Amino acid sequence: MIEDKLLGKRVEYPKTYCPEILVAVPRSLNREIYGIHQTTGLFCGYDSWHAYEASFILNNGMPVVGMLKIVYSSDSTYIVESKSLKLYLNSYNMTPLGNTREEGIAQFTHKITEDLGQILSTQVKVCFFSKEPTGLLPFDFNNYSILEDHIAPQDICFSIYQEHPDYLQENINTQGGELLIASHLLKSNCKITNQPDWGSIYIHIKGRILPDSKSILKYIVSLRNENHFHEEICEMTYKRLYDFFQPDILMTACLYTRRGGIDICPVRANTPEYLPIFLSQVKLLTQRPLRN
């Protein structure tokens, strides 16, 4: 499989700049399983990545360190496999770039933008942050209600930990409306290595029928032993909600915690106006949930 070219294998870290180590994985490999044959009319969105171990050296040997924010569209044919991105970024650790910090950062971001854009066949936006921003960071999800904080856990029986769409049930006590709900109980596993991936999921849904809160929390928990990439979990959840509730508004965002120095935050919505604004802005860092 393309996905396991590097995952789960002992791979030597490149000692010098190594763009050829990047691995592109077709999005279609997972989408076809859930009946996503084309995204037009179904969803739009983006994948926002944060790489916390970004570094290179100047021509005089002095290191420059910081973090990267990388954003590209969900319309891209491919995603970049995360371990290959980690190895690629680490190949810069001893790579001389520029005589000054400003010059080096410009070369660093230009090369990454160019290499990722080429392998993914899409426009990629990249920004380097050399220090933490001051002041309160913006956050797209302030008005979301955390499901597990408002549901007594003893009132629910959790017993299935593989993705279980039959858990999704209509709330028969409402005639429709709008929900902004979230959970910090999101967990899935790496598709190849089975390593745990932790995160928070945010759902904006409006329509004639709405999900029962207990049922959607049970569905989220049922992902606990599911083996998928982060982007796939987001799209699978979106498609299940879309098919069952046929909503007027639907947005799902999965903000995963970092692993291997990288976090991935995929977002999907039925129209662009419902996409989170701040997370997509490559030159803007946003507030992170507690466990991120």
Side-chain angles (χ1 to χ4, degrees), residues 75-86:
D75 288 339
S76 64
T77 304
Y78 304 96
I79 61 174
V80 60
E81 190 278 305
S82 59
K83 184 175 180 179
S84 77
L85 180 64
K86 175 184 173 68

Side-chain angles (χ1 to χ4, degrees), residues 82-115:
S82 59
K83 184 175 180 179
S84 77
L85 180 64
K86 175 184 173 68
L87 293 169
Y88 164 74
L89 292 178
N90 274 277
S91 78
Y92 284 96
N93 289 349
M94 300 305 296
T95 299
L97 296 171
N99 295 316
T100 66
R101 286 173 55 86
E102 292 74 18
E103 187 178 291
I105 290 169
Q107 292 182 25
F108 185 51
T109 54
H110 175 76
K111 281 179 174 290
I112 294 169
T113 302
E114 190 174 62
D115 290 341

Side-chain angles (χ1 to χ4, degrees), residues 7 13 48 56 104 143 150 155-156 163 192 219 222 231 235 252 254 259 268:
L7 281 171
Y13 277 79
S48 182
F56 60 93
N143 298 320
H150 301 281
D155 294 340
I156 312 176
E163 196 254 345
I192 307 300
Y219 175 78
S222 80
E231 301 90 339
E235 292 184 357
T252 61
C254 296
R259 183 157 62 80
R268 305 292 183 266

Side-chain angles (χ1 to χ4, degrees), residues 266-278:
V267 180
R268 305 292 183 266
N270 59 333
T271 59
E273 64 186 292
Y274 301 121
L275 291 169
I277 298 172
F278 302 123

Side-chain angles (χ1 to χ4, degrees), residues 190-210:
C190 174
K191 193 173 188 176
I192 307 300
T193 67
N194 208 42
Q195 288 181 290
D197 293 319
W198 307 91
S200 300
I201 185 169
Y202 298 86
I203 298 169
H204 180 187
I205 185 168
K206 178 181 180 180
R208 183 178 53 84
I209 58 174
L210 294 176

Side-chain angles (χ1 to χ4, degrees), residues 123-177:
Q123 180 186 24
V124 178
K125 299 177 182 178
V126 179
C127 186
F128 182 85
F129 297 86
S130 56
K131 59 183 179 180
E132 292 186 14
T134 58
L136 185 64
L137 297 179
F139 189 56
D140 288 296
F141 309 101
N142 284 314
N143 298 320
Y144 284 68
S145 176
I146 307 302
L147 288 167
E148 57 268 24
D149 290 349
H150 301 281
I151 297 174
Q154 63 271 19
D155 294 340
I156 312 176
C157 177
F158 297 95
S159 58
I160 297 177
Y161 300 105
Q162 296 289 156
E163 196 254 345
H164 195 64
D166 289 345
Y167 271 151
L168 295 172
Q169 299 294 325
E170 176 185 353
N171 185 342
I172 60 173
N173 297 316
T174 181
Q175 297 300 311

Side-chain angles (χ1 to χ4, degrees), residues 21 60 223 251:
I21 203 165
N60 68 357
L223 302 174
M251 186 284 304

